[in-house]
Amino acid sequence: MSLFRKIFGSSNPASEEDKESEFNKSSDDNTTSIDEKFIYNFKKNGGKFLYCENSEEVKEQFENILEENDWFESEVLCYEPNLFGILDDNKLSYDKPKNPKFILARCENLIAEEGSILFSSKQIKQNKPNELPANIIVLANTSQIIGTKSDGLSAIKKKYERDYPTNITTIKYFEKVKEEDFTQYGSSAKNLYLLLLEDL
């Protein structure tokens, strides 16, 4: 049984607090799985995590996000033609948007060590994180969760033998810092939703 199904698919109505305390306990434990580590760190950074068992659930959760934020019939930034279908289905405009409400993108990998998302020019072109819309919806698969940033760079090298991407960057902070934190200097917080599709 998948870890995600155990955590999210259980019919036992465990409270959010119970889940949080599970993550808190496991985050210090060396036996923590890479998946649990990513989820814990990603949520700690303020990311919104939606687990999907199949592509129908991805579409449904995407529509829920649009409804929650009143983004129907908005302009969207999207550089990946294989994602245009889901935008067309929801009457979202992506042809040279002047004022996009959000960016819809895939990613290279999900970094467990810091709960961050690794992008390249394949998803965000040459935009720096602070040049992207404040709202981001990322579609990723459970198989994209890896341990560290250096694992992510190795995976990119393997994946693209030719046509190597540029602008390799991570986005790590998904909410405004409550107090001044020098470690986040120069980074811009994003309101980020991760639709994670089970593919293992």
Side-chain angles (χ1 to χ4, degrees), residues 15-178:
S15 72
E16 280 299 313
E17 282 174 30
D18 293 342
K19 287 179 190 166
E20 276 306 315
S21 65
E22 254 177 63
F23 286 127
N24 289 339
K25 271 185 276 182
S26 64
S27 66
D28 301 325
D29 185 353
N30 290 337
T31 61
T32 304
S33 79
I34 197 167
D35 300 342
E36 286 176 289
K37 193 173 183 183
F38 171 75
I39 295 164
Y40 173 75
N41 289 327
F42 177 76
K43 288 179 83 176
K44 192 174 80 172
N45 292 343
K48 297 178 182 86
F49 174 85
L50 299 156
Y51 167 68
C52 306
E53 284 192 22
N54 53 52
S55 52
E56 284 310 306
E57 283 187 21
V58 171
K59 288 177 186 171
E60 192 180 310
Q61 294 288 15
F62 181 70
E63 286 171 16
N64 290 341
I65 294 168
L66 296 180
E67 191 173 343
E68 178 186 323
N69 294 283
D70 195 19
W71 287 340
F72 285 108
E73 299 182 25
S74 301
E75 289 189 314
V76 180
L77 190 61
C78 183
Y79 297 114
E80 299 167 81
N82 60 356
L83 297 179
F84 292 168
I86 197 169
L87 298 175
D88 289 334
D89 290 348
N90 290 286
K91 297 182 174 62
L92 295 163
S93 163
Y94 50 86
D95 186 28
K96 297 178 186 157
K98 290 183 174 59
N99 188 19
K101 293 279 187 199
F102 64 93
I103 178 170
L104 176 67
R106 294 200 179 274
C107 64
E108 293 296 341
N109 288 106
L110 307 169
I111 313 294
E113 178 182 61
E114 54 182 34
S116 64
I117 301 191
L118 184 66
F119 293 99
S120 76
S121 55
K122 300 288 182 186
Q123 297 89 34
I124 61 172
K125 298 295 184 194
Q126 296 307 318
N127 292 303
K128 294 179 176 66
N130 64 342
E131 296 168 341
L132 295 171
N135 303 299
I136 301 176
I137 302 176
V138 175
L139 303 181
N141 296 329
T142 52
S143 60
Q144 290 179 278
I145 299 175
I146 55 173
T148 65
K149 230 185 260 187
S150 59
D151 294 336
L153 296 175
S154 301
I156 288 173
K157 276 184 187 158
K158 259 188 230 156
K159 184 176 173 184
Y160 303 101
E161 290 175 18
R162 298 192 184 103
D163 192 24
Y164 195 73
T166 55
N167 193 27
I168 297 167
T169 188
T170 58
I171 294 182
K172 179 177 175 182
Y173 301 110
F174 313 119
E175 62 184 358
K176 293 276 183 244
V177 189
K178 313 256 182 321

